[in-house]
Amino acid sequence: MLELRDIVKIYQAGTVNETCLFDGFSLTIPDQQFVCVVGSNGSGKTSLLNIICGSIPVDSGQVIIGGRDVTPMPEYKRHRRIGRVYQDPGKGTCPSMTILENMSMADNKGKPFNLMPCVNRRRADAYREMLAQLGLGLEDKMGVQVGSLSGGQRQAMALLMSTMTPIEFLILDEHTAALDPKTAEIIMELTGRIVAQKKLTTIMVTHNLRYAVEYGDRLLMMHQGRAEMDVSGEARAHLRVEDLLGKFNEISIECGN
Amino acid sequence: MTLILSVLEQGLIYAILALGVYITFRILDFPDMSVDATFPLGAAVTAMMLARGCHPLLTLPAALIAGAIAGAVTGFIHVKLHVRDLLSGIIVMTGLYSVNLHIAGSSNVQLFLYNTIFKNPAVSALPYEAQAFVPVILLAALALLVKLALDAYLATRSGFLLRATGDNPALVASLAKDSGKVKILGLSIANALVALAGCVMCQHQRFFDVGMGTGTLVIAVASVIIGTKLLGGLRFLGPTLAVIIGSVIYKACVAFALGLGLSPFDLKLITAALLLAIIVLGGGRKKVKRHA
């Protein structure tokens, strides 16, 4: 279970531009729930993910993962149980290393990074199999530098790499936003498959309302640091894109834009 | 013949240095100015030990350790105290100047009376004609050993993390590893090699001078760029061997310029002009490709 308790986050505190994004924000996500988060720019979606992962500090409040308060824990330590895929496909892979090297490195997460050789040839077939599932032809390019792959190919690899080792939480930060519609579709299908297969607790931020409706079992609409809409269960099952769009417009009109 | 040998010897000594700088400059993308002081640090440790009658071979591990500590200090200042990369190197470089003087005991130490790895009874026992080749063979062996060790390290799990840290620190965090610690480790290894080069240099020229480090980073960077950019097309060489060859080429260029009749006064000017030419031809600091 993942819990945010009374989170307060103020940007540029002490200046004229001080903005209070979260003022006592709380959220509880039970195990194996797939939450889609939508909302306009600046509504606090990415800040929410950054707070969960520890990429940015909070001004007050607690982040509790599996009953343990992880608020003071640095980002890299929290990542032991968290896999994260970013919007920028470059962030999830190492461009100057080959596909095999990248996969080997991801496979070693959770184990010591000692003086043992990193590439384990015996695992190469397993990697090839995983890559073949993507249908992008990457399984035949094991020796190719990742930097020369397309954004979609790299994002697919980033998704595979972040979910390769046992993790409990998957954090997806608009991970299809930089991709063309067809590739985005492939990545989303893969995401759905991996989440179901590994039974991951997932939080996905997206601007694509159709994905938000098609995937997941709970939907949050963020607005000015609050969950303006939070539906799950029966109500979530009947939700349509039009309903979301209606609510979206309603909020925007309130704001006067 | 003497000229060729001299170029090879100088080139190979600086090759060890360049392999260290390859780690910081190319892999970590860290402009590490502390190199200008860790090079004489290795020499100072060596001079002090030789003058006290230590076996010349013992100076090699001692220089490695001294350099590693200095590199770790640079890393600590940068990572833990959040000082910018260039400044942390400059701070350590400045401070080490005094440390080097303290270790060596004077700004200039002559070592002509002591045994070194190049001049000792074992070498003197060889036929006279063979003696001239001892330094170049020893240096080539040492440079090769360092190259092989570095290659082996970069293929380990720890080495992969080092490469990833320079490439994409966000990924290192995703792997639940602290990229700051990896940086400190990388700087430590790099400066250990730089100090080793200083140690060998000191034994080769048989004196220590506190100012011998000035411009070291520039020479090393030039060698690294020649190796990785100008020779980058020759993939079969691999980056580490290319850096060694780059260093020898660089020294050959300087020797050639001096041979054309330029005075030693112009040495730094030649260095600067060569570096500029190399950077323009080969591209400067690593540009990380971040296309979406």
Side-chain angles (χ1 to χ4, degrees):
Chain A
M1 192 157 81
L2 192 148
E3 217 181 330
L4 298 179
R5 265 189 217 157
D6 294 325
I7 298 289
V8 176
K9 177 69 197 173
I10 301 163
Y11 280 107
Q12 293 179 306
T15 70
V16 277
N17 292 323
E18 180 176 302
T19 33
C20 179
L21 178 58
F22 293 118
D23 188 11
F25 180 78
S26 296
L27 178 70
T28 305
I29 298 173
D31 282 341
Q32 296 184 28
Q33 194 169 54
F34 187 157
V35 187
C36 292
V37 185
V38 295
S40 50
N41 293 324
S43 60
K45 305 181 305 291
T46 299
S47 294
L48 176 72
L49 298 188
N50 283 338
I51 286 169
I52 292 171
C53 291
S55 321
I56 56 171
V58 291
D59 292 290
S60 75
Q62 288 169 302
V63 181
I64 296 158
I65 296 180
R68 189 165 159 219
D69 185 359
V70 298
T71 321
M73 196 187 264
E75 180 183 20
Y76 75 93
K77 281 190 186 161
R78 290 192 207 183
H79 271 111
R80 281 178 200 155
R81 305 165 73 180
I82 297 177
R84 185 171 184 179
V85 185
Y86 298 87
Q87 178 179 356
D88 176 1
K91 266 190 141 174
T93 48
C94 255
S96 74
M97 293 165 85
T98 65
I99 294 183
L100 178 62
E101 288 174 330
N102 268 282
M103 299 287 281
S104 307
M105 194 160 55
D107 201 14
N108 201 47
K109 177 174 174 177
K111 294 181 207 123
F113 278 84
N114 51 22
L115 294 179
M116 298 282 287
C118 196
V119 174
N120 184 347
R121 296 271 160 203
R122 271 174 294 171
R123 290 280 291 151
D125 283 332
Y127 302 150
R128 218 168 269 133
E129 211 170 282
M130 284 180 223
L131 291 165
Q133 286 176 16
L134 303 175
L136 294 171
L138 291 176
E139 64 277 14
D140 302 323
K141 295 184 180 170
M142 297 288 271
V144 171
Q145 281 196 354
V146 172
S148 64
L149 302 180
S150 72
Q153 289 172 322
R154 286 164 80 171
Q155 198 66 317
M157 275 196 67
L159 186 58
L160 268 190
M161 283 167 63
S162 60
T163 54
M164 221 167 168
T165 48
I167 49 165
E168 292 158 56
F169 302 95
L170 182 60
I171 305 289
L172 304 166
D173 188 1
E174 296 181 42
H175 70 310
T176 60
L179 309 176
D180 68 69
K182 188 165 169 287
T183 315
E185 205 69 41
I186 296 174
I187 298 290
M188 265 323 295
E189 272 169 32
L190 179 69
T191 308
R193 219 177 328 142
I194 289 175
V195 169
Q197 214 172 44
K198 308 209 171 207
K199 301 189 170 58
L200 300 172
T201 309
T202 306
I203 307 170
M204 176 173 84
V205 163
T206 180
H207 279 304
N208 189 318
L209 298 182
R210 188 168 61 78
Y211 291 155
V213 170
E214 266 177 40
Y215 291 88
D217 36 31
R218 180 175 175 188
L219 189 134
L220 282 184
M221 187 181 286
M222 298 291 293
H223 182 62
Q224 293 178 344
R226 289 188 313 278
E228 208 50 55
M229 195 173 164
D230 183 355
V231 282
S232 52
E234 190 69 8
R236 165 70 185 76
H238 297 296
L239 201 69
R240 290 171 309 140
V241 174
E242 293 76 53
D243 306 332
L244 272 184
L245 208 54
K247 183 74 182 166
F248 222 112
N249 286 333
E250 196 181 302
I251 295 170
S252 301
I253 289 161
E254 271 174 34
C255 269
N257 57 6
Chain B
M1 189 64 203
T2 334
L3 181 70
I4 294 174
L5 275 183
S6 155
V7 164
L8 274 177
E9 287 167 14
Q10 293 281 326
L12 288 169
I13 294 173
Y14 278 98
I16 300 170
L17 167 83
L19 285 173
V21 172
Y22 169 74
I23 298 175
T24 44
F25 183 75
R26 223 6 99 187
I27 299 182
L28 284 178
D29 199 19
F30 189 109
D32 179 22
M33 287 297 292
S34 47
V35 163
D36 273 24
T38 46
F39 184 71
L41 171 68
V45 168
T46 307
M48 183 266 284
M49 287 177 74
L50 290 182
R52 278 179 176 62
C54 287
H55 193 280
L57 277 181
L58 287 179
T59 61
L60 303 174
L64 278 171
I65 292 167
I69 293 170
V73 171
T74 306
F76 180 85
I77 293 174
H78 171 59
V79 173
K80 301 289 179 189
L81 307 181
H82 310 287
V83 176
R84 275 178 53 187
D85 47 10
L86 196 59
L87 280 176
S88 12
I90 291 174
I91 288 168
V92 169
M93 177 183 82
T94 309
L96 270 183
Y97 189 87
S98 295
V99 174
N100 291 345
L101 281 173
H102 274 292
I103 293 174
S106 133
S107 62
N108 203 308
V109 183
Q110 308 275 331
L111 297 166
F112 295 103
L113 299 174
Y114 304 104
N115 283 337
T116 67
I117 50 171
F118 305 108
K119 281 260 193 302
N120 51 49
V123 175
S124 306
L126 294 170
Y128 183 75
E129 297 76 39
Q131 284 186 25
F133 295 96
V134 166
V136 79
I137 292 168
L138 278 179
L139 286 168
L142 189 62
L144 199 65
L145 188 72
V146 169
K147 171 212 142 47
L148 291 176
L150 185 56
D151 283 344
Y153 172 70
L154 289 176
T156 65
R157 293 170 183 178
S158 174
F160 267 49
L161 221 46
L162 184 72
R163 290 156 70 189
T165 298
D167 233 8
N168 184 358
L171 179 68
V172 177
S174 304
L175 294 170
K177 285 285 159 187
D178 184 1
S179 62
K181 277 187 197 148
V182 182
K183 259 189 195 170
I184 296 176
L185 179 68
L187 280 162
S188 201
I189 298 172
N191 281 292
L193 294 183
V194 172
L196 179 67
C199 161
V200 175
M201 184 65 165
C202 176
Q203 303 200 43
H204 187 256
Q205 64 185 20
R206 311 194 87 188
F207 69 85
F208 161 81
D209 176 69
V210 75
M212 68 192 277
T214 314
T216 317
L217 179 66
V218 173
I219 297 173
V221 164
S223 308
V224 171
I225 296 175
I226 296 177
T228 54
K229 292 284 181 177
L230 300 188
L231 302 178
L234 307 170
R235 289 215 165 258
F236 64 93
L237 287 179
T240 47
L241 188 58
V243 166
I244 294 179
I245 297 172
S247 169
V248 174
I249 292 179
Y250 176 80
K251 281 291 168 189
C253 289
V254 174
F256 179 70
L258 289 174
L260 284 180
L262 290 165
S263 98
F265 278 21
D266 300 325
L267 192 60
K268 293 282 175 199
L269 200 57
I270 298 169
T271 306
L274 262 178
L275 182 65
L276 180 65
I278 290 160
I279 288 176
V280 172
L281 288 174
R285 265 177 89 174
K286 176 169 77 173
K287 286 186 195 77
V288 181
K289 278 179 235 154
R290 291 230 188 276
H291 49 79

PDB file of all heavy atoms in Angstrom, chain A residues 51 53-54 56-58 61-64 68-78:
ATOM      1  N   ILE A  51       7.118  13.383  -5.705  1.00  0.00           N
ATOM      2  CA  ILE A  51       7.053  13.277  -4.243  1.00  0.00           C
ATOM      3  C   ILE A  51       7.071  11.805  -3.832  1.00  0.00           C
ATOM      4  O   ILE A  51       7.765  11.414  -2.899  1.00  0.00           O
ATOM      5  CB  ILE A  51       5.814  14.023  -3.701  1.00  0.00           C
ATOM      6  CG1 ILE A  51       6.070  15.525  -3.768  1.00  0.00           C
ATOM      7  CG2 ILE A  51       5.486  13.574  -2.272  1.00  0.00           C
ATOM      8  CD1 ILE A  51       4.856  16.376  -3.505  1.00  0.00           C
ATOM      9  N   CYS A  53       8.403   9.332  -5.478  1.00  0.00           N
ATOM     10  CA  CYS A  53       9.724   8.752  -5.754  1.00  0.00           C
ATOM     11  C   CYS A  53      10.833   9.417  -4.954  1.00  0.00           C
ATOM     12  O   CYS A  53      11.965   8.928  -4.938  1.00  0.00           O
ATOM     13  CB  CYS A  53      10.060   8.882  -7.238  1.00  0.00           C
ATOM     14  SG  CYS A  53       9.031   7.851  -8.260  1.00  0.00           S
ATOM     15  N   GLY A  54      10.539  10.558  -4.345  1.00  0.00           N
ATOM     16  CA  GLY A  54      11.581  11.238  -3.586  1.00  0.00           C
ATOM     17  C   GLY A  54      12.474  12.118  -4.443  1.00  0.00           C
ATOM     18  O   GLY A  54      13.553  12.514  -4.013  1.00  0.00           O
ATOM     19  N   ILE A  56      11.739  15.147  -5.378  1.00  0.00           N
ATOM     20  CA  ILE A  56      11.685  16.484  -4.773  1.00  0.00           C
ATOM     21  C   ILE A  56      11.256  16.325  -3.312  1.00  0.00           C
ATOM     22  O   ILE A  56      10.502  15.414  -2.979  1.00  0.00           O
ATOM     23  CB  ILE A  56      10.714  17.430  -5.526  1.00  0.00           C
ATOM     24  CG1 ILE A  56       9.294  16.829  -5.618  1.00  0.00           C
ATOM     25  CG2 ILE A  56      11.217  17.757  -6.917  1.00  0.00           C
ATOM     26  CD1 ILE A  56       8.257  17.791  -6.138  1.00  0.00           C
ATOM     27  N   PRO A  57      11.757  17.205  -2.434  1.00  0.00           N
ATOM     28  CA  PRO A  57      11.378  17.091  -1.021  1.00  0.00           C
ATOM     29  C   PRO A  57       9.991  17.682  -0.775  1.00  0.00           C
ATOM     30  O   PRO A  57       9.511  18.491  -1.571  1.00  0.00           O
ATOM     31  CB  PRO A  57      12.452  17.937  -0.321  1.00  0.00           C
ATOM     32  CG  PRO A  57      12.883  18.933  -1.341  1.00  0.00           C
ATOM     33  CD  PRO A  57      12.701  18.301  -2.691  1.00  0.00           C
ATOM     34  N   VAL A  58       9.348  17.280   0.310  1.00  0.00           N
ATOM     35  CA  VAL A  58       8.066  17.883   0.676  1.00  0.00           C
ATOM     36  C   VAL A  58       8.308  18.868   1.823  1.00  0.00           C
ATOM     37  O   VAL A  58       9.296  18.765   2.542  1.00  0.00           O
ATOM     38  CB  VAL A  58       7.034  16.820   1.117  1.00  0.00           C
ATOM     39  CG1 VAL A  58       6.608  15.967  -0.062  1.00  0.00           C
ATOM     40  CG2 VAL A  58       7.577  15.954   2.237  1.00  0.00           C
ATOM     41  N   GLY A  61       4.311  16.618   5.811  1.00  0.00           N
ATOM     42  CA  GLY A  61       3.532  15.448   5.426  1.00  0.00           C
ATOM     43  C   GLY A  61       4.410  14.229   5.322  1.00  0.00           C
ATOM     44  O   GLY A  61       5.625  14.305   5.495  1.00  0.00           O
ATOM     45  N   GLN A  62       3.774  13.105   5.069  1.00  0.00           N
ATOM     46  CA  GLN A  62       4.509  11.845   5.049  1.00  0.00           C
ATOM     47  C   GLN A  62       4.211  11.036   3.798  1.00  0.00           C
ATOM     48  O   GLN A  62       3.094  11.060   3.280  1.00  0.00           O
ATOM     49  CB  GLN A  62       4.090  10.989   6.251  1.00  0.00           C
ATOM     50  CG  GLN A  62       4.592  11.497   7.578  1.00  0.00           C
ATOM     51  CD  GLN A  62       3.910  10.762   8.701  1.00  0.00           C
ATOM     52  OE1 GLN A  62       2.692  10.774   8.812  1.00  0.00           O
ATOM     53  NE2 GLN A  62       4.706  10.076   9.509  1.00  0.00           N
ATOM     54  N   VAL A  63       5.218  10.320   3.336  1.00  0.00           N
ATOM     55  CA  VAL A  63       5.044   9.344   2.267  1.00  0.00           C
ATOM     56  C   VAL A  63       5.255   7.979   2.907  1.00  0.00           C
ATOM     57  O   VAL A  63       6.307   7.721   3.494  1.00  0.00           O
ATOM     58  CB  VAL A  63       6.070   9.550   1.132  1.00  0.00           C
ATOM     59  CG1 VAL A  63       5.845   8.535   0.019  1.00  0.00           C
ATOM     60  CG2 VAL A  63       5.996  10.965   0.595  1.00  0.00           C
ATOM     61  N   ILE A  64       4.241   7.129   2.840  1.00  0.00           N
ATOM     62  CA  ILE A  64       4.336   5.829   3.497  1.00  0.00           C
ATOM     63  C   ILE A  64       4.196   4.720   2.459  1.00  0.00           C
ATOM     64  O   ILE A  64       3.207   4.671   1.726  1.00  0.00           O
ATOM     65  CB  ILE A  64       3.260   5.702   4.595  1.00  0.00           C
ATOM     66  CG1 ILE A  64       3.550   6.752   5.675  1.00  0.00           C
ATOM     67  CG2 ILE A  64       3.265   4.311   5.207  1.00  0.00           C
ATOM     68  CD1 ILE A  64       2.372   7.098   6.502  1.00  0.00           C
ATOM     69  N   ARG A  68       5.721   1.749   5.894  1.00  0.00           N
ATOM     70  CA  ARG A  68       6.948   2.351   6.392  1.00  0.00           C
ATOM     71  C   ARG A  68       7.059   3.800   5.906  1.00  0.00           C
ATOM     72  O   ARG A  68       6.849   4.068   4.732  1.00  0.00           O
ATOM     73  CB  ARG A  68       8.130   1.524   5.879  1.00  0.00           C
ATOM     74  CG  ARG A  68       9.421   1.932   6.496  1.00  0.00           C
ATOM     75  CD  ARG A  68      10.500   0.891   6.265  1.00  0.00           C
ATOM     76  NE  ARG A  68      11.781   1.567   6.427  1.00  0.00           N
ATOM     77  CZ  ARG A  68      12.837   1.344   5.688  1.00  0.00           C
ATOM     78  NH1 ARG A  68      12.792   0.437   4.731  1.00  0.00           N
ATOM     79  NH2 ARG A  68      13.949   2.001   5.896  1.00  0.00           N
ATOM     80  N   ASP A  69       7.389   4.685   6.814  1.00  0.00           N
ATOM     81  CA  ASP A  69       7.532   6.094   6.462  1.00  0.00           C
ATOM     82  C   ASP A  69       8.851   6.285   5.697  1.00  0.00           C
ATOM     83  O   ASP A  69       9.931   6.106   6.246  1.00  0.00           O
ATOM     84  CB  ASP A  69       7.539   6.935   7.741  1.00  0.00           C
ATOM     85  CG  ASP A  69       7.572   8.431   7.427  1.00  0.00           C
ATOM     86  OD1 ASP A  69       7.612   8.779   6.238  1.00  0.00           O
ATOM     87  OD2 ASP A  69       7.559   9.221   8.381  1.00  0.00           O
ATOM     88  N   VAL A  70       8.748   6.625   4.420  1.00  0.00           N
ATOM     89  CA  VAL A  70       9.971   6.765   3.611  1.00  0.00           C
ATOM     90  C   VAL A  70      10.277   8.238   3.311  1.00  0.00           C
ATOM     91  O   VAL A  70      11.130   8.529   2.488  1.00  0.00           O
ATOM     92  CB  VAL A  70       9.877   5.984   2.275  1.00  0.00           C
ATOM     93  CG1 VAL A  70       9.724   4.506   2.536  1.00  0.00           C
ATOM     94  CG2 VAL A  70       8.744   6.500   1.414  1.00  0.00           C
ATOM     95  N   THR A  71       9.585   9.160   3.997  1.00  0.00           N
ATOM     96  CA  THR A  71       9.762  10.585   3.688  1.00  0.00           C
ATOM     97  C   THR A  71      11.227  11.025   3.690  1.00  0.00           C
ATOM     98  O   THR A  71      11.639  11.744   2.781  1.00  0.00           O
ATOM     99  CB  THR A  71       8.940  11.454   4.661  1.00  0.00           C
ATOM    100  OG1 THR A  71       7.691  10.797   4.886  1.00  0.00           O
ATOM    101  CG2 THR A  71       8.701  12.833   4.096  1.00  0.00           C
ATOM    102  N   PRO A  72      12.048  10.627   4.671  1.00  0.00           N
ATOM    103  CA  PRO A  72      13.437  11.095   4.635  1.00  0.00           C
ATOM    104  C   PRO A  72      14.354  10.267   3.722  1.00  0.00           C
ATOM    105  O   PRO A  72      15.525  10.600   3.566  1.00  0.00           O
ATOM    106  CB  PRO A  72      13.896  10.958   6.095  1.00  0.00           C
ATOM    107  CG  PRO A  72      12.978   9.976   6.714  1.00  0.00           C
ATOM    108  CD  PRO A  72      11.773   9.817   5.862  1.00  0.00           C
ATOM    109  N   MET A  73      13.827   9.219   3.128  1.00  0.00           N
ATOM    110  CA  MET A  73      14.674   8.306   2.336  1.00  0.00           C
ATOM    111  C   MET A  73      15.030   8.937   0.987  1.00  0.00           C
ATOM    112  O   MET A  73      14.165   9.484   0.317  1.00  0.00           O
ATOM    113  CB  MET A  73      13.910   7.002   2.110  1.00  0.00           C
ATOM    114  CG  MET A  73      14.766   5.847   1.650  1.00  0.00           C
ATOM    115  SD  MET A  73      13.735   4.435   1.225  1.00  0.00           S
ATOM    116  CE  MET A  73      13.803   3.493   2.723  1.00  0.00           C
ATOM    117  N   PRO A  74      16.319   8.910   0.590  1.00  0.00           N
ATOM    118  CA  PRO A  74      16.670   9.499  -0.705  1.00  0.00           C
ATOM    119  C   PRO A  74      16.076   8.715  -1.870  1.00  0.00           C
ATOM    120  O   PRO A  74      15.745   7.542  -1.741  1.00  0.00           O
ATOM    121  CB  PRO A  74      18.199   9.428  -0.729  1.00  0.00           C
ATOM    122  CG  PRO A  74      18.569   8.371   0.234  1.00  0.00           C
ATOM    123  CD  PRO A  74      17.496   8.353   1.278  1.00  0.00           C
ATOM    124  N   GLU A  75      15.979   9.430  -2.991  1.00  0.00           N
ATOM    125  CA  GLU A  75      15.342   8.880  -4.185  1.00  0.00           C
ATOM    126  C   GLU A  75      15.885   7.508  -4.569  1.00  0.00           C
ATOM    127  O   GLU A  75      15.137   6.564  -4.802  1.00  0.00           O
ATOM    128  CB  GLU A  75      15.550   9.867  -5.340  1.00  0.00           C
ATOM    129  CG  GLU A  75      14.922   9.418  -6.646  1.00  0.00           C
ATOM    130  CD  GLU A  75      15.214  10.379  -7.790  1.00  0.00           C
ATOM    131  OE1 GLU A  75      16.186  11.152  -7.683  1.00  0.00           O
ATOM    132  OE2 GLU A  75      14.470  10.350  -8.781  1.00  0.00           O
ATOM    133  N   TYR A  76      17.219   7.390  -4.625  1.00  0.00           N
ATOM    134  CA  TYR A  76      17.775   6.145  -5.148  1.00  0.00           C
ATOM    135  C   TYR A  76      17.416   4.941  -4.285  1.00  0.00           C
ATOM    136  O   TYR A  76      17.234   3.840  -4.809  1.00  0.00           O
ATOM    137  CB  TYR A  76      19.289   6.278  -5.364  1.00  0.00           C
ATOM    138  CG  TYR A  76      20.151   6.251  -4.116  1.00  0.00           C
ATOM    139  CD1 TYR A  76      20.684   5.045  -3.665  1.00  0.00           C
ATOM    140  CD2 TYR A  76      20.453   7.407  -3.416  1.00  0.00           C
ATOM    141  CE1 TYR A  76      21.482   5.018  -2.535  1.00  0.00           C
ATOM    142  CE2 TYR A  76      21.244   7.383  -2.295  1.00  0.00           C
ATOM    143  CZ  TYR A  76      21.764   6.181  -1.854  1.00  0.00           C
ATOM    144  OH  TYR A  76      22.542   6.145  -0.739  1.00  0.00           O
ATOM    145  N   LYS A  77      17.274   5.162  -2.971  1.00  0.00           N
ATOM    146  CA  LYS A  77      16.914   4.028  -2.113  1.00  0.00           C
ATOM    147  C   LYS A  77      15.466   3.612  -2.319  1.00  0.00           C
ATOM    148  O   LYS A  77      15.138   2.429  -2.282  1.00  0.00           O
ATOM    149  CB  LYS A  77      17.140   4.391  -0.642  1.00  0.00           C
ATOM    150  CG  LYS A  77      18.594   4.302  -0.250  1.00  0.00           C
ATOM    151  CD  LYS A  77      18.777   4.420   1.244  1.00  0.00           C
ATOM    152  CE  LYS A  77      20.253   4.465   1.588  1.00  0.00           C
ATOM    153  NZ  LYS A  77      20.476   5.030   2.933  1.00  0.00           N
ATOM    154  N   ARG A  78      14.590   4.612  -2.550  1.00  0.00           N
ATOM    155  CA  ARG A  78      13.180   4.269  -2.779  1.00  0.00           C
ATOM    156  C   ARG A  78      13.013   3.443  -4.046  1.00  0.00           C
ATOM    157  O   ARG A  78      12.103   2.643  -4.174  1.00  0.00           O
ATOM    158  CB  ARG A  78      12.345   5.545  -2.925  1.00  0.00           C
ATOM    159  CG  ARG A  78      12.218   6.299  -1.633  1.00  0.00           C
ATOM    160  CD  ARG A  78      11.159   7.364  -1.777  1.00  0.00           C
ATOM    161  NE  ARG A  78      11.443   8.475  -0.863  1.00  0.00           N
ATOM    162  CZ  ARG A  78      10.651   9.517  -0.725  1.00  0.00           C
ATOM    163  NH1 ARG A  78       9.543   9.610  -1.432  1.00  0.00           N
ATOM    164  NH2 ARG A  78      10.961  10.474   0.113  1.00  0.00           N
TER     165      ARG A  78
END
